[in-house]
Amino acid sequence: MAAKLKKGDKVVVLAGKDKGKEGTISSVDPKTGKAIVDGVNIAIRATRQSQTSQGGRIPKAMPIQLSNLSLIDANGKATRVGFRMEGDKKVRFAKTTGDVIDA
């Protein structure tokens, strides 16, 4: 299936503890259906000090389910993503405005 959300997309969280937060997708794992969004779903990882790194409590962004994310359109609102053919090219478009997402 074609990817409705891709790396670099600006998204808003629809459900969970970070509901309403916005961020940019830094990576997507299509096999598990999850994505890592910057500044969302942060977990604290305690690490020991080593010669190369400082120890302590290090925040880490954890994966979030793709179904709990929605793309932000040009108006700044959450939108669903659709596909259509423009000429011989398949493009993504925002369902609320009808604008093409990737030009």
Side-chain angles (χ1 to χ4, degrees):
M1 191 178 143
K4 294 192 175 194
L5 296 174
K6 295 182 179 180
K7 180 179 176 177
D9 284 348
K10 206 150 161 39
V11 293
V12 63
V13 180
L14 300 176
K17 65 174 185 168
D18 293 321
K19 182 177 180 178
K21 283 190 182 176
E22 296 180 5
T24 307
I25 295 179
S26 58
S27 69
V28 179
D29 184 11
K31 189 173 264 188
T32 59
K34 294 187 176 198
I36 295 177
V37 182
D38 297 330
V40 176
N41 200 22
I42 300 293
I44 301 293
R45 174 98 170 93
T47 56
R48 280 201 117 110
Q49 184 176 354
S50 67
Q51 286 185 325
T52 57
S53 66
Q54 181 72 33
R57 295 161 48 92
I58 297 169
K60 182 182 179 189
M62 300 302 287
I64 188 167
Q65 197 71 31
L66 286 174
S67 61
N68 294 334
L69 300 174
S70 182
L71 192 80
I72 296 176
D73 63 0
N75 301 338
K77 297 207 171 183
T79 181
R80 291 177 296 151
V81 178
F83 293 98
R84 67 174 170 223
M85 297 298 289
E86 288 198 355
D88 58 343
K89 195 165 182 183
K90 185 178 182 182
V91 294
R92 296 187 303 160
F93 73 99
K95 295 251 184 160
T96 53
T97 59
D99 296 338
V100 175
I101 295 166
D102 23 40

